[in-house]
Amino acid sequence: MTQNATLERPQTGQGASLELTHALTQTVYREARMLDDENYADWVDMLADDLLYHMPGIETRYRRDKTDQITDLTRMAYYNDNLTEIKKRLSRLETGTAWSEDPATRYTHIITNVEVELTEKSGEYRVYSNFYAYRNRNEREEDSLIGNRVDIWREAESAFQLVTRRIILKHNVLLSKNLNIFL
Amino acid sequence: MRIEGIGREPEFSRYMDLKEGWLDRRIFSDAEIYEEELYRIFARSWLFVAHESQLPKAGDFLTTHMGEDAVIVARQPDGSIKVFLNSCPHRGNKVCFADAGNTRRFVCNYHGWAFDTAGELKGMHEEYCYDDNDIDRRKNGLKQVARVAGYKGLVFATFAEDGPSLDAWLGDFRWYLDMLLDNEEGGTELIGGCIKSVMNANWKFGVENFIGDAYHAGWTHDSGCRSMNNGQPFPPIDMENSYHASVNGHGWEFGTEGVGDLFLLGRPKVLEYYERIRPKMAQRLGEMRSKIFGSVASASIFPNVSFLPGISTFRQWQPKGPMEFELKTWVIVNKSMPDDIKNEITKGVMQTFGPGGTFEMDDGENWSNCTTVNRGVVTRHERLHYRCGISREIEHDTLPGIVYRGQYNDANQRGFYQRWLDMMEADKLEAMPDRPESRLSGVGETRNLPGLFAL
């Protein structure tokens, strides 16, 4: 279906150059800043037209259980969105009646452990990272979402664009009443 | 099974007057009332524990809770389903830590006591340490629930040995349930996986919202509706041709226009699919039910399951204390649907009613604040208003149940709390009345009732 680079690690994940690694690291930091600032217009500009933004729901299973809970896109997922669907979600904030977003939630995304690899496709790069997303809301509501991401970023004319992201949240039960956040 | 703990003088009627239409807020926050709910409601009700499709093969299991009691639900070699406590009779440790899977044995990590998928004790670590008189294996299996029964794919269990059968418990509500569970040949299945989240809210707020609160939708979910449908507002409500129907504390609020909830899902292909099968649905369920399905609607099965027919979210509100519940959500689809329609529905449900869904986000905020504000000792003694539509009860030729006209109504909520009160006060379940008297008692299959309830 897709000609894009895949998220799964190939036999050898060849590390990218220092320059490329720096550029993509700065890109994911910049993206995190867009999300912290609720600057969704600029965030959406960083997303490719053929985006797949996927955060599977993962049950606790025994090690011997080989059910594919990660790459099977037909299973339950917090996010399994293309660009149009991401924009639909975001359009809720434009309505003026998204009551639970006013007063605003306060966000901080901390992005660490960034690794950049070349892929089988030139101009597309695999980027691993960890995230710590902290939310605080109203008087004393707070929660922390921690996990890993693996992305494919594509070199476009003047910037990099996110093509594919898989988010693995470490919660079994989401310890929060909602997920009004992108990770 | 004898449920210890019942025996306090029942005096729960002072917390509500449903003829007047008010509730006392303490039922949403008081720790003692919550404990009594666990005994009187959760330990005695038929509770949803699984959908058959989650356990296709022998040895398939899942873990869940009945009230706060952890249980294992397991498919047997003969195809039946058993439900037993997830707690070893030796020291009480859990014997299964996975949400789901397939196994031959549940083995306790503490002393290696091993149970088969029927819950029977099959072996222990260093078994020689037990002398002949020490243990009767047959009496030391995992504690079975009293009864397990199914209705069209849904599996229910109860700790109550006595009391109504599942068919009697669901009663005339089966007529409504068939719209979800039997609108197409082949029945339903749940999409793989289950998403769980927690809310600092009383479990009843989730149930009562889905049982009848169409009223909140156009306001709370204005943003959700517009985001899913290119800025279009909520479909208008027709107060003449929409209803509340309550049966034994279960409830379904609905229009009869056939498309409202399908519209809210925001997936045109799904709407088209149901339009294609609607004539067949009318043959199968009758004209009336084919017009109810897909309309702006929501429903709950007493005490703690809810769903949106047409939007296809299916969920359970698991109590975790007076001010906390765990929400388990699934997606329910017809087995016979093509894969692309199942996918469209799954994506649509998660974008509207998943934790990150454009509708769900505004609900959780409300229920949490409705609950936690009751920490105030003055606040918690204030009454809540449940009187909307109190004089709009009607007799309806086609619709079973206690029927009220106009889906903006508190009628099903009052019906739910009436059943709550019935159970909280009844020492014997047999003493609880059917509400209303059953029309379909003795009718085995409610799908085709030619002449009887067909318009």
Side-chain angles (χ1 to χ4, degrees):
Chain A
M1 185 185 78
T2 172
Q3 307 297 313
N4 295 333
T6 57
L7 293 172
E8 282 69 37
R9 188 190 283 271
Q11 292 289 350
T12 54
Q14 194 190 339
S17 68
L18 193 59
E19 192 181 357
L20 200 52
T21 301
H22 178 71
L24 275 160
T25 305
Q26 288 296 305
T27 299
V28 294
Y29 289 171
R30 176 165 177 270
E31 185 205 1
R33 182 162 55 83
M34 300 297 119
L35 293 171
D36 285 349
D37 293 348
E38 294 186 295
N39 181 356
Y40 293 117
D42 285 346
W43 182 60
V44 164
D45 281 345
M46 300 180 82
L47 308 177
D49 288 341
D50 53 346
L51 174 75
L52 169 62
Y53 185 91
H54 185 221
M55 178 165 146
I58 302 176
E59 293 174 308
T60 300
R61 300 253 179 170
Y62 285 113
R63 291 176 186 272
R64 64 176 181 270
D65 189 321
K66 301 305 176 199
T67 306
D68 175 10
Q69 299 199 73
I70 308 292
T71 69
D72 182 350
L73 295 176
T74 68
R75 290 177 64 83
M76 298 278 283
Y78 294 98
Y79 290 106
N80 181 7
D81 286 20
N82 60 31
L83 182 59
T84 308
E85 290 159 346
I86 291 277
K87 285 179 177 171
K88 275 168 90 171
R89 288 185 195 262
L90 288 171
S91 70
R92 171 172 166 267
L93 300 172
E94 308 295 316
T95 59
T97 56
W99 311 120
S100 66
E101 306 304 329
D102 193 11
T105 302
R106 299 173 285 271
Y107 304 97
T108 299
H109 290 72
I110 298 171
I111 307 297
T112 72
N113 301 53
V114 179
E115 290 176 77
V116 180
E117 286 181 355
L118 305 182
T119 68
E120 59 278 21
K121 199 167 174 207
S122 77
E124 292 192 1
Y125 307 97
R126 190 177 298 104
V127 179
Y128 298 95
S129 59
N130 291 350
F131 64 85
Y132 182 133
Y134 175 80
R135 287 186 294 182
N136 191 300
R137 180 161 172 66
N138 290 342
E139 289 182 287
R140 50 170 72 199
E141 289 173 34
E142 63 173 7
D143 59 64
S144 298
L145 302 169
I146 299 178
N148 316 115
R149 307 187 302 191
V150 51
D151 302 341
I152 301 294
W153 287 83
R154 179 185 295 147
E155 202 159 10
E157 282 159 30
S158 56
F160 292 98
Q161 285 195 315
L162 180 65
V163 182
T164 313
R165 169 164 292 164
R166 179 190 298 147
I167 302 156
I168 306 296
L169 181 70
K170 302 298 160 160
H171 286 173
N172 171 265
V173 180
L174 177 70
L175 298 172
S176 178
K177 67 186 164 202
N178 70 27
L179 199 62
N180 68 341
I181 187 170
F182 294 96
L183 298 167
Chain B
M1 183 180 307
R2 212 182 150 72
I3 307 299
E4 302 294 335
I6 294 176
R8 276 177 24 158
E9 197 61 38
E11 48 192 18
F12 297 100
S13 58
R14 67 192 165 111
Y15 295 111
M16 58 189 67
D17 186 334
L18 298 166
K19 294 226 160 29
E20 284 297 312
W22 60 261
L23 295 182
D24 186 305
R25 297 176 186 224
R26 281 171 291 178
I27 68 167
F28 298 108
S29 57
D30 184 271
E32 282 186 30
I33 294 175
Y34 173 77
E35 282 295 312
E36 288 296 316
E37 284 179 333
L38 291 179
Y39 282 116
R40 292 174 175 271
I41 292 179
F42 287 94
R44 301 198 296 173
S45 290
W46 282 102
L47 300 171
F48 170 78
V49 292
H51 188 290
E52 295 252 7
S53 63
Q54 294 176 287
L55 307 165
K57 301 187 303 292
D60 285 347
F61 71 87
L62 60 81
T63 55
T64 185
H65 289 84
M66 294 172 63
E68 293 215 45
D69 289 291
V71 296
I72 297 171
V73 185
R75 179 75 75 174
Q76 305 303 303
D78 68 0
S80 66
I81 288 173
K82 284 191 186 289
V83 183
F84 38 83
L85 291 188
N86 186 3
S87 176
C88 183
H90 182 220
R91 291 294 182 273
N93 192 19
K94 264 188 164 183
V95 298
C96 182
F97 295 88
D99 291 334
N102 183 280
T103 194
R104 287 173 52 242
R105 290 279 189 272
F106 299 104
V107 183
C108 181
N109 289 346
Y110 201 173
H111 302 88
W113 286 30
F115 307 87
D116 67 9
T117 56
E120 288 176 21
L121 179 60
K122 290 296 175 186
M124 299 110 96
H125 174 64
E126 312 290 29
E127 203 168 334
Y128 59 82
C129 67
Y130 287 89
D131 298 325
D132 286 348
N133 291 332
D134 289 357
I135 185 163
D136 181 347
R137 280 192 189 190
R138 288 165 305 173
K139 289 182 181 162
N140 282 277
L142 298 170
K143 174 79 180 172
Q144 303 283 328
V145 301
R147 290 178 289 163
V148 180
Y151 186 73
K152 297 197 176 182
L154 306 186
V155 182
F156 294 81
T158 177
F159 291 115
E161 275 169 9
D162 304 317
S165 66
L166 177 62
D167 274 359
W169 175 266
L170 296 173
D172 292 5
F173 202 61
R174 293 173 300 155
W175 188 87
Y176 294 97
L177 282 175
D178 285 357
M179 285 188 276
L180 176 77
L181 301 174
D182 202 5
N183 68 48
E184 222 183 341
E185 188 66 35
T188 59
E189 64 185 11
L190 298 186
I191 294 295
C194 170
I195 293 213
K196 299 183 278 189
S197 55
V198 295
M199 289 190 198
N200 294 321
N202 185 271
W203 65 276
K204 295 187 288 300
F205 277 124
V207 183
E208 71 141 72
N209 177 275
F210 274 67
I211 211 165
D213 199 338
Y215 177 46
H216 86 294
W219 181 261
T220 294
H221 298 308
D222 179 75
S223 63
C225 178
R226 288 179 194 271
S227 63
M228 287 294 114
N229 292 288
N230 305 314
Q232 295 182 77
F234 228 79
I237 295 298
D238 175 354
M239 290 291 279
E240 268 306 296
N241 297 297
S242 64
Y243 304 91
H244 269 214
S246 174
V247 179
N248 294 345
H250 321 301
W252 198 299
E253 60 84 12
F254 52 93
T256 50
E257 38 38 59
V259 295
D261 266 8
L262 294 172
F263 165 80
L264 293 176
L265 185 66
R267 312 301 290 199
K269 281 184 190 167
V270 177
L271 190 57
E272 285 163 26
Y273 176 81
Y274 280 115
E275 284 312 306
R276 270 204 307 282
I277 69 163
R278 199 179 297 275
K280 268 183 135 170
M281 202 189 294
Q283 283 173 4
R284 192 176 182 81
L285 299 173
E287 192 70 23
M288 184 63 160
R289 282 188 284 185
S290 80
K291 290 193 300 185
I292 294 173
F293 182 85
S295 65
V296 171
S298 61
S300 296
I301 304 173
F302 190 93
N304 69 333
V305 164
S306 299
F307 52 87
L308 299 176
I311 291 183
S312 302
T313 178
F314 187 89
R315 54 191 40 219
Q316 189 166 29
W317 320 92
Q318 298 283 34
K320 301 285 177 192
M323 293 203 191
E324 185 178 320
F325 66 73
E326 187 177 304
L327 170 58
K328 299 177 79 170
T329 68
W330 297 272
V331 177
I332 189 164
V333 296
N334 292 346
K335 269 185 202 159
S336 59
M337 284 172 172
D339 287 345
D340 67 314
I341 296 297
K342 289 179 185 174
N343 276 330
E344 283 280 321
I345 292 175
T346 305
K347 291 184 83 168
V349 169
M350 294 315 292
Q351 284 161 22
T352 51
F353 283 92
T358 53
F359 287 70
E360 186 85 0
M361 284 192 277
D362 290 298
D363 276 332
E365 185 86 353
N366 289 339
W367 303 332
S368 172
N369 289 315
C370 290
T371 301
T372 54
V373 73
N374 292 320
R375 289 202 172 92
V377 295
V378 175
T379 308
R380 76 177 65 144
H381 285 272
E382 292 293 303
R383 289 174 178 181
L384 296 174
H385 187 276
Y386 280 77
R387 220 180 131 76
C388 184
I390 204 157
S391 60
R392 290 204 298 263
E393 185 173 358
I394 57 166
E395 288 289 325
H396 198 285
D397 292 342
T398 311
L399 303 171
I402 301 168
V403 178
Y404 279 69
R405 190 180 296 284
Q407 72 189 129
Y408 285 176
N409 213 310
D410 288 335
N412 281 358
Q413 293 91 317
R414 291 189 296 268
F416 171 76
Y417 291 110
Q418 181 62 58
R419 186 65 162 189
W420 182 92
L421 185 59
D422 288 346
M423 283 205 87
M424 292 296 273
E425 297 212 319
D427 283 331
K428 289 192 178 307
L429 294 179
E430 293 82 353
M432 290 199 310
D434 278 340
R435 293 186 190 270
E437 203 173 316
S438 173
R439 285 189 196 181
L440 302 175
S441 175
V443 175
E445 172 58 71
T446 71
R447 190 171 62 223
N448 298 308
L449 295 169
L452 236 185
F453 294 107
L455 261 191

